[in-house]
Amino acid sequence: MKKTLASDNYSGTNPELIEALGKINVGHQGSYGADDSTAGAIAVFKKLLKEDIDVYFTMNGTGANVTALSSVCPSFGAVICSSVAHINVDECGAPEKFGGFKLLSVEKENGKLSPEDIAPFLVNLGEQHWSQPKVVSITQATEYGTVYTCEEIKAIADYAHENNLLLHVDGARISNAAVSLGVSFKEMLVDTGVDFISFGGTKNGLMFGEAVIFLNTKISENYKFVRKQGMQLLSKMRYIAVQFETLFGTDLWKENALHANKMAKKLAEGLSKVPEVRITQEVQANGVFAILPKEVIPAMQEQSPFYVWNEQINEVRLMCSFDTSEEEINAFIEKLEALTTATA
């Protein structure tokens, strides 16, 4: 079957994870997290981050984001985020419907928030007619493929805490961000002051499943109830947990993310040599955003399906995965060069 540059969700599952799933698919184990794999995965996260954390598994990323935010933000509260944040544009209004809170979005060309973006929302605090800001949510890596440095995350966390706000990280591509920065998860999340995170795995080789991790355990008290209400409590939890245990208990997560990022860099290098193409964002993770000539887009989508990100300017999003090959990148560039030359 044809591979694509449409999304890292299109990729398959690591063979090592398929093998791990097969091994636990024997006999009976406790349900709803009372199994060996869930305990093992939690131990892995404690080793990666710190001992004092609370770890919960969910079935998908929207479920992780929505239940995590809903557990700490009341319906009269508000979450500050980028205008392109997944919770703002790609979750069909689930945060507002399920959590009842308000999203306060900020237009950012690179998808990254700063303390200065948060400040304008800190008005009318305590005023009963206004939604009250409770959480800042950032995406790492962002929907534009850009990556917050540890210093940038710490600055946001410090500012949030100074103003009685919590910092949430949507980490659907957290592994790609970590290898891009060359830092550990502890350095990027614990040492910077993040309160809680939707910790992604599906986009880095898992079949399904995400994790919600509270680094600040003072705010996790209600989460297990919200997860159940939110229909994210999988009875056979071991099938999610064993994937996390395998992926992050070894260097497989790093190998996958490094390869995907490397392929994105290679793709960007090839695109930059085509005069008719303009790359619109710095390539820091596994995504490339570029403006292509409108007339070549349909033919290029036949070569390797991808999404048009902004139809007004013909900006497309090209995502690389753990199984993207150099041959596929080369073939994509070669066809683009041929098409642009023919239409010149």
Side-chain angles (χ1 to χ4, degrees):
M1 182 174 290
K2 181 188 294 185
K3 292 184 181 179
T4 84
L5 295 172
S7 173
D8 34 11
N9 281 326
Y10 278 47
S11 63
T13 303
N14 264 120
E16 293 90 339
L17 303 184
I18 296 292
E19 182 181 355
L21 285 165
K23 287 181 179 178
I24 65 161
N25 195 38
V26 178
H28 288 203
Q29 285 202 41
S31 57
Y32 301 107
D35 62 87
D36 295 339
S37 295
T38 298
I42 291 173
V44 165
F45 276 123
K46 288 186 175 183
K47 184 176 180 180
L48 288 174
L49 296 164
K50 63 174 182 172
E51 186 66 27
D52 182 27
I53 59 175
D54 287 332
V55 181
Y56 302 89
F57 297 103
T58 66
M59 290 182 282
N60 56 51
T62 295
N65 283 336
V66 172
T67 55
L69 291 169
S70 298
S71 71
V72 301
C73 188
S75 59
F76 59 83
V79 176
I80 301 168
C81 63
S82 162
S83 59
V84 296
H86 203 272
I87 58 174
N88 192 46
V89 296
D90 284 309
E91 292 180 347
C92 197
E96 295 98 329
K97 177 177 174 58
F98 185 81
F101 50 76
K102 186 177 182 62
L103 292 176
L104 301 172
S105 63
V106 183
E107 292 288 337
K108 299 294 291 185
E109 290 186 359
N110 63 358
K112 292 168 63 174
L113 295 181
S114 68
E116 291 73 26
D117 297 319
I118 301 167
F121 296 108
L122 302 181
V123 296
N124 295 303
L125 300 181
E127 169 55 56
Q128 63 185 344
H129 299 290
W130 289 63
S131 294
Q132 300 296 295
K134 298 294 183 180
V135 182
V136 177
S137 180
I138 64 173
T139 311
Q140 180 74 326
T142 74
E143 288 76 11
Y144 277 129
T146 52
V147 175
Y148 289 90
T149 66
C150 292
E151 292 75 18
E152 288 171 331
I153 296 174
K154 188 176 188 307
I156 294 172
D158 289 346
Y159 187 80
H161 295 156
E162 289 167 5
N163 289 280
N164 299 312
L165 303 174
L166 299 171
L167 178 59
H168 167 257
V169 171
D170 179 349
R173 298 183 177 94
I174 196 68
S175 297
N176 301 92
V179 298
S180 176
L181 295 174
V183 300
S184 68
F185 292 119
K186 180 179 181 298
E187 291 172 305
M188 184 169 55
L189 300 170
V190 178
D191 296 346
T192 56
V194 171
D195 291 293
F196 60 128
I197 176 174
S198 302
F199 202 107
T202 306
K203 291 179 171 62
N204 196 33
L206 267 64
M207 182 183 292
F208 61 91
E210 307 288 291
V212 172
I213 302 177
F214 290 89
L215 303 172
N216 176 1
T217 57
K218 295 178 181 178
I219 63 172
S220 64
E221 179 182 4
N222 296 325
Y223 182 75
K224 61 183 179 181
F225 305 108
V226 176
R227 178 176 63 168
K228 178 64 177 181
Q229 280 192 335
M231 297 165 282
Q232 288 293 312
L233 178 60
L234 187 65
S235 59
K236 297 182 180 181
M237 190 72 71
R238 64 186 183 275
Y239 292 97
I240 295 177
V242 74
Q243 296 180 78
F244 275 101
E245 184 181 21
T246 304
L247 187 67
F248 291 99
T250 66
D251 282 337
L252 183 57
W253 71 270
K254 185 180 294 185
E255 295 168 9
N256 284 353
L258 278 169
H259 179 78
N261 287 11
K262 179 182 177 182
M263 291 300 98
K265 288 285 189 182
K266 181 175 179 62
L267 177 59
E269 289 171 4
L271 290 173
S272 66
K273 297 175 183 177
V274 182
E276 294 82 0
V277 173
R278 180 168 70 85
I279 295 175
T280 60
Q281 298 289 340
E282 186 176 359
V283 179
Q284 297 180 313
N286 62 320
V288 180
F289 290 77
I291 295 175
L292 304 185
K294 183 177 183 179
E295 61 272 15
V296 308
I297 290 177
M300 290 306 303
Q301 288 176 316
E302 291 179 7
Q303 170 80 12
S304 178
F306 56 83
Y307 289 110
V308 177
W309 183 264
N310 185 332
E311 293 184 1
Q312 282 69 41
I313 60 173
N314 304 314
E315 182 184 35
V316 304
R317 185 190 76 163
L318 307 169
M319 297 301 302
C320 295
S321 305
F322 75 91
D323 60 352
T324 302
S325 70
E326 292 192 19
E327 290 75 18
E328 291 157 0
I329 298 297
N330 290 336
F332 187 85
I333 297 300
E334 288 172 8
K335 180 161 185 175
L336 180 60
E337 290 175 332
L339 287 172
T340 53
T341 298
T343 58

